[in-house]
Amino acid sequence: LTPVEFDARVDHLKLPPHDLRLRWQALAQWERENALGALQHLAEQVFRPLQAFLEMPGARDKCLRLLQEGLGLQIGMLSLMRRSDARRALSSHIRALQKGVSSSRRSFRLLGFIAPMLKLLDLATGAAERQRHRLFNVGMSAGFCGYLLFDNRRWLQQQGLMSGAASSSARTALRCLAVRHICALAFALQAVHSNPACLEWFKALKARLAESLRCVLTEPKRALQSPICALADVHRSTYRPLSEADRAQLLDCLKEFFQLMHSAHFGDILRSHGALVAVLGCWCAAVDIRMLWRRSQQQFRVVQDRAQSAKQH
């Protein structure tokens, strides 16, 4: 890159001494402009969208949750391997890091119970709605409020500011969270049940899976010879063009079910394996991050369009 346009026909070994391409000040200025342009492009394409995402409520918490669940997955995978001193030391280091991430997330949830408590107050004094919807909303708000209350109590106990066992408060908090996810799952399933497109998709899936199961039971050799093709056939036969809202409803049902399994495991309601619930937690965190990212980019584009229109006017 030179301050003047490059010309392949010019013999650059015989440039005159006064040519700009031989002055280091001009070359330095040219490279400075190139570096600033590259940094500006990087800021517009990476850093500003990332900043818009981090300014979304809960964005940092979801990223930390993904990190926390990823560390839990490593701990679960190490527990499946043959035990050794090196693996025990590695597991203890990962567990300490996970505990630090979890404690930092918990500190940002202090006084978070105010929002669901106000939601309960609005439900008690608000306009009349369907009794079933009111029951689900009350259950979700009450469960989330109880979770945050006991979670704040656990943090205070860990810091030595309140007496009692932190493990007991953690177990009670996660059981309250399980109640919240039960109500949310029931609410999501009701929304799916009232959607004809989702019902048709589920019926097609059920019929095809039943046919595939019959094929496995009656002709196991042929079914085992091409399991991948059979799964692809199931997908093709059950696929229906769903709208974005329909896909969001199905995704919400799946996410609430996975989060229910996650909270039931750590709340000692229904124990599973640590690696499995860590995978479910990673998936739920990734779904939340994707949703927040798309929402932040929509708002970022709106702000950019307004700024460009203001400059033009």
Side-chain angles (χ1 to χ4, degrees), residues 17-56:
H18 61 273
D19 195 284
L20 290 177
R21 284 169 286 190
L22 297 181
R23 297 180 183 179
W24 69 269
Q25 297 91 343
L27 290 174
Q29 178 67 21
W30 178 258
E31 294 298 339
R32 174 179 172 273
E33 293 177 358
N34 288 333
L36 289 177
L39 289 176
Q40 183 68 22
H41 179 75
L42 185 65
E44 293 296 332
Q45 298 297 323
V46 178
F47 293 124
R48 294 189 189 280
L50 183 60
Q51 178 63 23
F53 167 72
L54 294 176
E55 289 177 353
M56 296 292 293

Side-chain angles (χ1 to χ4, degrees), residues 135-153:
L135 179 62
F136 291 153
N137 288 326
V138 168
M140 286 188 290
S141 299
F144 196 45
C145 183
Y147 163 72
L148 291 172
L149 279 171
F150 283 101
D151 188 69
N152 292 169
R153 180 185 178 187

Side-chain angles (χ1 to χ4, degrees), residues 30-258:
W30 178 258
E31 294 298 339
R32 174 179 172 273
E33 293 177 358
N34 288 333
L36 289 177
L39 289 176
Q40 183 68 22
H41 179 75
L42 185 65
E44 293 296 332
Q45 298 297 323
V46 178
F47 293 124
R48 294 189 189 280
L50 183 60
Q51 178 63 23
F53 167 72
L54 294 176
E55 289 177 353
M56 296 292 293
R60 287 181 172 87
D61 180 72
K62 298 304 179 184
C63 293
L64 287 177
R65 186 192 176 186
L66 181 61
L67 175 60
Q68 179 183 347
E69 298 295 345
L71 295 172
L73 177 60
Q74 295 180 35
I75 295 172
M77 296 301 295
L78 287 173
S79 66
L80 296 175
M81 300 179 183
R82 189 190 314 179
R83 295 186 178 180
S84 64
D85 294 338
R87 291 195 180 101
R88 289 193 190 96
L90 179 61
S91 180
S92 64
H93 288 308
I94 296 175
R95 198 178 300 275
L97 178 58
Q98 185 191 34
K99 184 178 179 180
V101 173
S102 177
S103 179
S104 65
R105 292 184 62 211
R106 195 170 295 111
S107 64
F108 284 104
R109 290 198 293 265
L110 289 174
L111 301 179
F113 60 88
I114 295 177
M117 185 176 62
L118 293 176
K119 180 67 178 298
L120 283 173
L121 183 62
D122 294 338
L123 289 172
T125 60
E129 58 178 335
R130 293 179 59 182
Q131 186 65 24
R132 188 178 299 176
H133 290 175
R134 180 184 291 272
L135 179 62
F136 291 153
N137 288 326
V138 168
M140 286 188 290
S141 299
F144 196 45
C145 183
Y147 163 72
L148 291 172
L149 279 171
F150 283 101
D151 188 69
N152 292 169
R153 180 185 178 187
R154 176 189 180 185
W155 185 85
L156 293 173
Q157 289 170 341
Q158 287 178 335
Q159 305 303 319
L161 302 175
M162 184 177 289
S163 61
S167 59
S168 177
S169 299
R171 184 166 54 251
T172 306
L174 288 165
R175 289 177 179 178
C176 292
L177 187 62
V179 172
R180 188 262 177 200
H181 288 312
I182 289 173
C183 296
L185 179 60
F187 187 82
L189 287 174
Q190 183 188 19
V192 169
H193 187 266
S194 60
N195 190 330
C198 293
L199 283 180
E200 182 183 357
W201 190 88
F202 272 118
K203 288 180 181 178
L205 177 65
K206 180 180 177 181
R208 185 55 187 169
L209 288 177
E211 181 182 351
S212 299
L213 180 61
R214 182 190 59 80
C215 180
V216 169
L217 294 176
T218 56
E219 303 178 47
K221 292 184 179 180
R222 186 173 67 86
L224 293 175
Q225 285 176 355
S226 56
I228 298 179
C229 296
L231 290 175
D233 189 27
V234 170
H235 180 269
R236 285 194 301 270
S237 61
T238 56
Y239 176 76
R240 297 292 184 275
L242 296 174
S243 65
E244 186 175 356
D246 297 335
R247 292 195 298 269
Q249 284 186 345
L250 295 174
L251 187 64
D252 190 45
C253 288
L254 191 60
K255 189 182 75 169
E256 292 297 338
F257 177 68
F258 286 168

